[in-house]
Amino acid sequence: MGLFGKKEKKIFKEFSKKSVEYLTDINKDTDELLEELQESYSENRFAIPEFISLIESIKAKISFEESEKLEELSQKIVQIKKCAKKSVSAVAELSRNQRKTTREAIREFNEFVES
């Protein structure tokens, strides 16, 4: 005789079905976010070198103070690029971990219901 009756197993199966739907939706949303971030980063990754090249070309034409301000701005923009790259990597890792956790949760729950 099993630990759960037919009514409980039916409830568990419905819960499992809903959980899989929620997890699938979360995975889909995470993957879409990752794709958007990767596309945006890819489209804009060449802006920094172009900006730095522009700064170098106009440095001689502006005052020392303006040149220093541009140099500070370029350093800040480089930091923003690094932050964006880390963000894309973090979302990619989150997406991989979410898919792995989803597969594991579904497997464990199916084992539980089938026992």
Side-chain angles (χ1 to χ4, degrees), residues 2-111:
L3 186 60
F4 302 107
K6 288 182 181 182
K7 184 177 180 179
E8 287 84 6
K9 283 190 176 191
K10 182 178 179 183
I11 292 170
F12 285 138
K13 286 183 181 183
E14 273 301 309
F15 177 75
S16 175
K17 181 180 174 186
K18 283 289 183 190
S19 295
V20 168
E21 289 173 9
Y22 294 143
L23 291 170
T24 302
D25 287 345
I26 290 170
N27 287 344
K28 181 181 173 191
D29 291 345
T30 304
D31 289 342
E32 287 174 1
L33 174 61
L34 175 60
E35 187 176 323
E36 288 175 20
L37 282 172
Q38 287 174 328
E39 286 176 11
S40 180
Y41 181 79
S42 181
E43 289 172 3
N44 296 298
R45 68 186 176 138
F46 298 110
I48 303 295
E50 290 173 7
F51 180 73
I52 291 174
S53 176
L54 176 65
I55 289 174
E56 292 301 320
S57 71
I58 63 173
K59 265 187 176 179
K61 301 173 187 174
I62 58 177
S63 71
F64 179 76
E65 292 82 19
E66 291 171 324
S67 176
E68 288 294 312
K69 287 181 181 179
L70 273 178
E71 190 62 37
E72 287 176 23
L73 178 60
S74 70
Q75 291 303 316
K76 289 177 183 178
I77 290 175
V78 167
Q79 290 301 318
I80 291 170
K81 177 187 175 192
K82 289 178 183 177
C83 181
K85 188 173 184 176
K86 286 181 182 179
S87 297
V88 171
S89 296
V91 172
E93 184 176 347
L94 173 67
S95 179
R96 284 190 301 273
N97 289 343
Q98 178 63 38
R99 283 191 301 275
K100 180 181 174 183
T101 302
T102 298
R103 284 190 306 270
E104 183 67 19
I106 291 169
R107 185 188 62 74
E108 288 178 1
F109 197 80
N110 286 335
E111 287 177 2

